[in-house]
């Protein structure tokens, strides 16, 4: 098992526990796309369908081609959205090839899961019409205490043999992605933001991670090792992110944004 493989099983309910926080970067991304006349949009890595209403609100008349590699996520998206101008498909982004070019491709929190994702981004951007946009966001939090805690524990002899096949992938700096577009003569706006999420509950960081980055680890561990791993990780996370005097837990979360426009 490695991150981004089809074998990663997603749990839409757990993922959507933090829907407001997870959708915020998409709102900020869409804000920078200036294309009121778009008629064809693609959403790559659409997840459980939480992106769809935001895209629809912005482009009421566009068709939306929404794909995700996870059957669980697509099933949930179909069950939640009745929008007739959206098609949901189970597909790997690396095999995405629309029958005609689109005005806008958006992708929120997908590409960090995809091997060789800079190439996947360039390949997918070839399906954007002149004058259209390719806009994506990826987390840039690989060095955050949360991920360091996971990596440290995974390297512990108690778990390392079971977890040696789990691969993590890093996002690149915004300027790396920007250059991938600029040298192909696209216009680019790229930036990064650190959100400070205010979380509540006994182990909110663990809960957050178990909807995303922790899944490949938890799915790979034996049933016997899982509770021990979870207990130790919860303890490490409580130390790294102590509750504040206000009784909440703050999760600083860095994210990287790229909005590229293909010249017309
Ligand atoms: C963190 S979720 C993002 C969901 C949604 N876009 C959002 O903004 O909340 C990442 C999604 O990427 C999907 N994914 C991972 N690897 C993929 C691939 N190679 N091709 C297509 N989708 C993939 C997962 O199934 C998951 O639904």
């Amino acid at each position: 098992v490695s991150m981004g493989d089809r074998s990663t099983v997603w749990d839409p309910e757990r993922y959507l526990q933090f829907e407001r926080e997870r959708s915020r970067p998409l709102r900020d991304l869409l804000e920078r796309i200036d294309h009121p006349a778009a008629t064809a949009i693609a959403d790559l890595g659409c997840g459980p369908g939480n992106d769809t209403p935001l895209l629809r609100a912005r482009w009421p008349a566009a068709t939306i081609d929404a794909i995700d590699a996870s059957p669980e996520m697509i099933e949930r998206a179909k069950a939640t959205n009745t929008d007739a101008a959206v098609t949901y498909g189970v597909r790997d982004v690396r095999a995405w090839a629309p029958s005609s070019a689109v005005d806008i491709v958006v992708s929120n929190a997908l590409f960090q899961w995809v091997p060789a994702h800079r190439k996947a981004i360039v390949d997918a951007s070839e399906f954007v019409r002149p004058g259209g946009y390719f806009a994506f966001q990826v987390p840039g939090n690989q060095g955050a205490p949360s991920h360091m805690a996971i990596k440290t524990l995974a390297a512990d002899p108690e778990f390392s043999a079971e977890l040696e096949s789990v691969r993590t992938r890093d996002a690149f700096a915004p300027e790396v992605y920007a250059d991938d577009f600029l040298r192909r003569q696209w216009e680019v706006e790229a930036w990064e933001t650190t959100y400070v999420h205010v979380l509540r509950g006994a182990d909110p960081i663990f809960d957050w991670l178990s909807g995303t980055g922790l899944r490949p680890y938890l799915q790979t561990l034996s049933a016997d090792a899982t509770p021990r791993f979870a207990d130790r990780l919860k303890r490490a996370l409580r130390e790294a992110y102590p509750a504040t005097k206000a009784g909440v837990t703050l999760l600083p979360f860095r994210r990287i944004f790229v909005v590229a426009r293909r010249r017309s």
Side-chain angles (χ1 to χ4, degrees), residues 10 15 45-47 50-51 68-70 73 91-93 108-110:
W10 289 79
Y15 183 75
C46 65
N50 48 312
D51 301 346
D68 197 285
S70 158
M73 289 298 212
R91 198 156 308 128
D92 191 292
V93 67
N108 191 43
L110 159 70

Side-chain angles (χ1 to χ4, degrees), residues 124-224:
S125 74
E126 291 301 332
F127 295 105
V128 173
R129 288 179 187 140
Y133 284 81
F134 192 97
F136 68 95
Q137 178 274 128
V138 285
N141 63 339
Q142 300 83 9
S146 55
H147 285 241
M148 297 317 289
I150 296 175
K151 284 179 195 161
T152 303
L153 193 55
D156 188 292
E158 189 179 350
F159 307 109
S160 57
E162 283 190 38
L163 293 177
E164 70 184 352
S165 65
V166 177
R167 301 268 171 278
T168 59
R169 292 192 184 86
D170 290 350
F172 295 88
E175 58 269 30
V176 172
Y177 299 114
D179 185 58
D180 286 343
F181 283 94
L182 288 166
R183 65 175 155 199
R184 294 183 296 131
Q185 313 304 322
W186 291 50
E187 293 163 8
V188 178
E189 186 179 3
W191 72 98
E192 62 178 76
T193 299
T194 297
Y195 296 96
V196 178
H197 296 305
V198 180
L199 305 181
R200 295 183 166 78
D203 290 297
I205 310 278
F206 181 87
D207 292 345
W208 174 287
L209 293 168
S210 50
T212 50
L214 203 49
R215 301 199 67 75
Y217 295 90
L218 295 179
Q219 285 163 23
T220 305
L221 282 169
S222 61
D224 167 57

Side-chain angles (χ1 to χ4, degrees), residues 3-6 8 10 15-16 19 22-23 26 43-51 67-71 73 91-94 107-115 137 211-212:
M3 284 186 156
D5 280 355
R6 278 160 204 259
T8 300
W10 289 79
Y15 183 75
L16 289 169
E19 178 172 2
R22 299 206 201 275
S23 294
L26 181 62
D43 181 5
L44 307 182
C46 65
N50 48 312
D51 301 346
I67 63 142
D68 197 285
S70 158
M73 289 298 212
R91 198 156 308 128
D92 191 292
V93 67
R94 289 163 293 178
S107 179
N108 191 43
L110 159 70
F111 281 108
Q112 78 279 9
W113 293 97
V114 179
Q137 178 274 128
T212 50

